[in-house]
Amino acid sequence: MMRRRWTATVAITLASVLTLAACGGGGGKGAQPSSGGGDAKKQVEVFSWWTGPGEADGLKAMRQIFEQKNPSYTFFDAAVAGGSGDKAKALLQSKLQADTPPDTFQGHAGAELQGYIKAGDLEDLNFLYDELKLREVFPAQLVDQISVQGKVYSVPVNIHRSNVLWFNPSVLKEAGIAGAPKTLEEFVADLGKVKAKGKIPLSIGSEWTVTHLLESVLLGSLGTDAYNALFKPGADWSSPQVTKALETFKTIMSYAGDPQDDWQPAAKQVADGEAAFNIMGDWAYGYFHNPPDGGLGKTSKKDFDWAPSPGTEGTYLWLSDSFTLPKGAKNRDGAVAWLKVAASKEGQDAFNPKKGSIPARKDADQSLYTDYLADALKDWSSDKLAGSIQHGVSVNQPWLAAITEAVGLFIGSKDVAALQKALADAAKANAQ
């Protein structure tokens, strides 16, 4: 009997599924996992959305360790292009519904992962946590986000920060701006100064990057405790405080440049001096910093710089990528072998410096994490925590889909009242 699963909230046509599937890597563009024959049983299908510069380099580094340690297995890169994983998660849901899961898939810790757990899609990994003593090396607050009733369901590979303001120092200097704005009021004033100089004040990417921007504005306007309270049952999304935050969001969006195809070209506008600001997660650091064969090869503090997004200093708006063991995986043993590499100190220290994230493990080699990443390690250990909306910590997939729809409509209408009502309705329908 097919296991009950939560209903996909993003409509997927057969044509779109086929198109997305063609984005998989491994054996070449459009390659599919082979079936039949002795060698096929050795193949491990790893499903993610890491295809861009930085993220793909990190995955490649971990893949090399996996293949060195497991010569009898073949790694199949089933990555699906598209920042934040919206397209990948839609395709994944169709695969789970059809009982044809990949051997392991990427999932965000928190409410997003909880959806897969409650639907019965995942094996618990207590056996692996016991064997590798992982509870001793992962932060307890992180393990809680990937557990249900004492059972752990994924292996976290990193910690990311969502609330990062990236800026071009030269563009700010030309506009007479002394440094990164600390408050939302200062940010709006600085956006105006940049606009007056004829540069793009704020670069944005595809629709999901606008939701990403919204969560930083909500946090910066409401403060940490009020922001976290939005995701509890009975939360008041109709309050005057939320209205004020959304009005500020509307003002900030009025300074945005033309939407780019995804987050990378929007970030590149900052690094190239076309735009002043971009609010994006710290995976942008890997893209900015990595050599030109895997990034832009830019120089920090000269071509780009960073600060907490306005109003959020002292709070880490966090997310974590993790890997799972789906029920019914074709190559369970191969998936477990991959999870062991993903959980290892060696794997995480190879992956994270290239990805632009810090390790989930507490015993990482801190000498590898310099520049922005050194700041992130320090802040993660001392800041207050708030969970990302766009990246699955605070809201589940149906709730995020409703928020995404509301933001998409707002981009066209600029109607704050309609946006707030849609957000309030989404919370009432999905908060648990």
Side-chain angles (χ1 to χ4, degrees):
M1 180 179 295
M2 181 180 291
R3 300 187 302 277
R4 178 185 64 80
R5 295 193 174 89
W6 45 279
T7 303
T9 57
V10 180
I12 311 170
T13 64
L14 178 59
S16 66
V17 170
L18 293 174
T19 299
L20 291 169
C23 296
K29 281 289 182 184
Q32 296 296 311
S34 57
S35 59
D39 290 341
K41 295 180 181 179
K42 303 289 187 180
Q43 190 173 68
V44 183
E45 182 184 359
V46 179
F47 187 98
S48 76
W49 49 86
W50 290 331
T51 63
E55 58 196 18
D57 300 291
L59 182 62
K60 181 180 178 181
M62 199 154 54
R63 170 182 180 166
Q64 289 172 341
I65 295 171
F66 171 76
E67 291 177 334
Q68 289 167 2
K69 292 182 176 295
N70 301 280
S72 62
Y73 290 127
T74 300
F75 181 100
F76 178 79
D77 184 359
V80 175
S84 189
D86 290 351
K87 294 178 181 178
K89 285 178 274 191
L91 176 58
L92 174 64
Q93 184 61 25
S94 71
K95 291 171 74 71
L96 294 175
Q97 291 280 20
D99 281 322
T100 57
D103 295 315
T104 181
F105 65 83
Q106 174 188 358
H108 286 134
E112 176 186 308
L113 192 74
Q114 298 284 333
Y116 296 118
I117 297 170
K118 293 175 183 176
D121 289 323
L122 304 178
E123 287 193 40
D124 78 75
L125 297 175
N126 281 20
F127 71 93
L128 193 64
Y129 273 68
D130 292 341
E131 176 186 343
L132 303 179
K133 296 181 171 52
L134 295 179
R135 291 180 184 83
E136 297 176 11
V137 297
F138 289 145
Q141 64 198 23
L142 180 55
V143 174
D144 287 345
Q145 292 288 338
I146 53 178
S147 302
V148 170
Q149 296 179 345
K151 294 181 178 180
V152 190
Y153 286 89
S154 72
V155 170
V157 295
N158 66 5
I159 300 293
H160 269 305
R161 186 174 197 168
S162 165
N163 59 319
V164 185
L165 178 72
W166 303 99
F167 59 94
N168 185 298
S170 296
V171 175
L172 265 61
K173 185 177 180 180
E174 291 171 9
I177 300 169
K182 292 186 175 296
T183 68
L184 287 168
E185 292 76 16
E186 290 176 2
F187 187 38
V188 170
D190 288 348
L191 292 171
K193 293 176 183 177
V194 174
K195 183 177 180 180
K197 290 295 183 179
K199 293 291 181 76
I200 300 169
L202 176 69
S203 64
I204 58 172
S206 52
E207 187 174 281
W208 75 264
T209 72
V210 180
T211 305
H212 182 108
L213 170 64
L214 173 62
E215 68 183 28
S216 268
V217 175
L218 286 171
L219 177 62
S221 182
L222 297 171
T224 309
D225 293 341
Y227 172 90
N228 286 332
L230 288 176
F231 311 105
K232 297 177 180 178
D236 185 9
W237 283 76
S238 300
S239 70
Q241 291 78 16
V242 173
T243 304
K244 179 183 177 182
L246 296 180
E247 290 287 359
T248 301
F249 175 64
K250 177 181 178 179
T251 300
I252 291 170
M253 279 294 295
S254 72
Y255 289 100
D258 292 335
Q260 303 298 294
D261 290 340
D262 210 337
W263 70 267
Q264 290 100 333
K268 188 174 186 295
Q269 288 182 317
V270 171
D272 289 347
E274 298 174 18
F277 298 106
N278 178 254
I279 290 180
M280 184 46 54
D282 52 11
W283 46 90
Y285 175 75
Y287 178 57
F288 287 136
H289 177 76
N290 289 352
D293 60 344
L296 296 178
K298 298 292 186 177
T299 302
S300 65
K301 305 297 182 179
K302 174 177 175 287
D303 300 315
F304 70 96
D305 205 341
W306 59 85
S309 58
T312 72
E313 186 173 2
T315 299
Y316 209 101
L317 188 55
W318 74 277
L319 59 136
S320 173
D321 295 302
S322 67
F323 280 96
T324 63
L325 181 59
K327 290 181 179 178
K330 299 180 296 298
N331 188 347
R332 183 183 184 278
D333 290 346
V336 171
W338 169 254
L339 293 175
K340 287 183 177 180
V341 172
S344 70
K345 180 177 182 293
E346 181 184 7
Q348 296 205 3
D349 279 343
F351 171 78
N352 283 295
K354 293 182 180 295
K355 178 67 162 64
S357 48
I358 58 175
R361 293 181 64 108
K362 297 184 290 185
D363 60 350
D365 181 355
Q366 295 201 9
S367 69
L368 299 174
Y369 300 89
T370 59
D371 207 29
Y372 165 79
L373 296 176
D375 288 351
L377 273 175
K378 175 176 64 68
D379 290 348
W380 170 250
S381 66
S382 60
D383 281 5
K384 294 181 179 179
L385 299 182
S388 169
I389 296 172
Q390 173 61 39
H391 306 284
V393 178
S394 293
V395 301
N396 58 25
Q397 288 283 72
W399 194 348
L400 177 58
I403 292 172
T404 299
E405 181 179 4
V407 170
L409 292 172
F410 172 80
I411 291 172
S413 71
K414 312 293 191 298
D415 187 335
V416 167
L419 173 61
Q420 185 165 12
K421 182 180 185 304
L423 294 175
D425 290 345
K428 289 177 184 176
N430 293 286
Q432 298 176 358

